[in-house]
Amino acid sequence: MNTMKTRCGLLLAWWVLAMTPQAFANPAPADGESAPGREMAQQAIKGAKRWITTDHSKHEILKQPFTSGPEVTKACLTCHSEAATQIHKTIHWTWVDPASPKDKPMGKGALTVNNYCVSLHGNEPRCTSCHIGYGWKDKTFDFTDASKVDCLVCHEQTGTYKKHPAGAGNPAKEPTVFPGDGLQYLPPDWQKVAQSVGRPTRENCGICHFYGGGGDMVKHGDLDSSMTKPNKALDVHMGVDGKNFDCTRCHTTTAHQVAGRIYSTPAAKERKTLAQDDLTPRITCESCHTATPHRHGVKANDHTDKVACQTCHIPEFARVLPTKMRWDWSTAGKKKDGKPYKEKGPLGTPVYDTQKGNFTWEKNVKPQYSWYSGTIDAVSLKDPIDPTKPVALNWPVGRPDDPNARISPFKVHTGKQPYDTVNKTMLVPHLFGPPDSNAYWAKYDWQLAFESGMKKAGLPYSGQFDFVETSYVFPTTHMVAPKENSISCNECHTRNNGRMANIKGVYMPGRDGNKVIEILGWAAVIGSFAGVLLHALGRAVSSRRKEG
């Protein structure tokens, strides 16, 4: 009898174990086994150490007394004869995606619009302070002039080279205080910066990409000054106490074409690893880590055909510094004692600015998720909008049935900005300009600003305006956390406020339910339990009879 009780107990214990979630987990990896994706990544980043083949301080042509950037560029081109021609073909130069449709060109230099400073048109001297050229102050800028290419902004290594914030891409010609930040900008030591040039560093890229949208921490959320020298807790790839990657380690470059997202063109058209093609760009996670990055038997390997690596490995962005999450232009123009003013909030960032309206900033922000095939579509300034609902100014392109699409993380910045109530199109305000101009920041008159801005953009304006809610997305690809800080399974596989609550087109265990399947499943569970009990009972009765 005791033997039969033991058997019944073991059978019952087996059944309980079988019905627990752990029973469906993958078997534990063998001791000492490392993840194939980690091994592949380690191989991919080895490579030969790059060496320097020239010391620019020894070149006689760079020892002359330069007085301007174009003079330095002309000297550079005596050796690097094809560099300007290559630059002229890049989106860094044109600010227009060459792959976008001719009837709907995409990019800051085209007719796309955002919910930050809205549009380049009419605001060039301020916006183009981050252009890799000299002198883009209006539509007369000559994009074919090789001497206008700014070699120094990407290549100088003194750290002293700075463009003036309102100089149309030019540094200051004399010591000049910029009213916007109260800082003094000095003319470069042209000879010194020219002789310092080398391969681009994180600082070179960050001077524009960390400060986009008018200042630090504004635009991307995963790119700000905290990424200049991050630790690996902030980014495992760029951490100075970790791999210490420069931007160019992943944003590989060919003839000055830098790999990365450019509107109509995905960062990578094919998901290849370096093992398949050693010339493939290192721009995707799969390039180094492969499509099976985890150890054998780990369930996460089954997710990579539908879920982007960033989705699990970037749990939050803006983890050190806050990022701007909302910009309301409709409240701009208020003054105190007849003067413009600013107010700071609890995070030490401005929450109101007479010039720009109200802001909302956040830290440790959970991304929003969308299907994403690597391209972004957007509203054109010519496209009609529906002002009765929030207007998506851009959005990720991707569908569940697209083999190149993955569930990916995004920063979604919301705003309230002007539109033409008659033409039902977004409006371009002329914001930046001298005191005698019709710029909004000069006269605080929206009507004059719209008339001027739309004229500079070459677009019609009815004379009537209002403000509409908008959204604008940025892919989240930086601030990759250490693996122990990746998101847990139940943050997605849950019915209550899960990260994947808004993702459609895929069945997700734990989040989704099917009544028929659930009924059948519970019936199978109850049937299994009853079968175990009946079997145990039968064995017990049989044993008693034998003993009798």
Side-chain angles (χ1 to χ4, degrees), residues 454-503:
M454 294 299 280
K455 182 179 180 180
K456 290 178 182 295
L459 297 169
Y461 172 48
S462 71
Q464 298 183 47
F465 70 92
D466 201 350
F467 294 83
V468 65
E469 290 287 334
T470 61
S471 63
Y472 195 89
V473 303
F474 289 98
T476 301
T477 58
H478 306 91
M479 296 190 178
V480 178
K483 61 181 180 180
E484 56 269 20
N485 294 334
S486 59
I487 66 173
S488 60
C489 301
N490 60 9
E491 290 186 61
C492 297
H493 294 276
T494 180
R495 295 184 184 180
N496 300 315
N497 301 316
R499 288 178 181 254
M500 299 292 121
N502 296 320
I503 292 294

Side-chain angles (χ1 to χ4, degrees), residues 30 84 87 95 132 193 355 380 398 460 520 541:
I87 287 287
W95 284 7
I132 58 168
V193 295
Q355 288 189 336
S380 162
L520 292 174
V541 171

Side-chain angles (χ1 to χ4, degrees), residues 125-331:
R126 182 71 177 96
C127 297
T128 58
S129 61
C130 268
H131 186 239
I132 58 168
Y134 298 115
W136 185 358
K137 63 180 180 179
D138 53 34
K139 289 185 176 181
T140 65
F141 181 67
D142 185 359
F143 285 91
T144 66
D145 188 341
S147 71
K148 297 297 186 183
V149 173
D150 183 355
C151 306
L152 296 171
V153 71
C154 294
H155 292 283
E156 77 86 26
Q157 299 303 315
T158 67
T160 63
Y161 181 77
K162 297 184 185 299
K163 291 176 178 255
H164 188 271
N170 290 300
K173 292 183 178 179
E174 58 187 26
T176 306
V177 175
F178 178 56
D181 57 20
L183 300 177
Q184 185 181 59
Y185 291 82
L186 303 174
D189 182 336
W190 292 108
Q191 192 179 90
K192 183 178 180 180
V193 295
Q195 292 177 15
S196 76
V197 296
R199 293 188 178 90
T201 63
R202 191 181 304 157
E203 288 77 7
N204 291 118
C205 302
I207 198 66
C208 284
H209 291 283
F210 294 168
Y211 297 87
D216 190 13
M217 313 175 292
V218 173
K219 268 194 173 181
H220 298 276
D222 62 342
L223 285 174
D224 56 40
S225 62
S226 69
M227 294 291 281
T228 305
K229 293 183 178 179
N231 58 25
K232 62 183 179 183
L234 179 59
D235 191 287
V236 295
H237 299 115
M238 296 176 70
V240 295
D241 55 344
K243 297 301 181 183
N244 198 23
F245 286 179
D246 280 330
C247 304
T248 53
R249 197 61 182 268
C250 294
H251 292 272
T252 46
T253 304
T254 302
H256 285 96
Q257 294 280 358
V258 182
R261 176 190 64 82
I262 51 172
Y263 303 100
S264 303
T265 305
K269 294 182 180 180
E270 295 181 279
R271 293 181 175 273
K272 285 185 176 180
T273 70
L274 289 161
Q276 296 170 297
D277 180 359
D278 62 354
L279 298 180
T280 195
R282 292 180 173 87
I283 193 62
T284 68
C285 301
E286 292 99 320
S287 301
C288 294
H289 291 281
T290 77
T292 52
H294 308 94
R295 290 179 294 179
H296 293 296
V298 173
K299 185 64 179 175
N301 280 332
D302 297 335
H303 286 57
T304 58
D305 62 332
K306 295 295 183 184
V307 181
C309 301
Q310 297 94 321
T311 297
C312 295
H313 290 278
I314 308 178
E316 292 94 21
F317 55 83
R319 299 206 299 272
V320 173
L321 301 173
T323 187
K324 190 175 288 184
M325 294 298 293
R326 179 171 173 80
W327 187 330
D328 184 351
W329 278 101
S330 69
T331 61

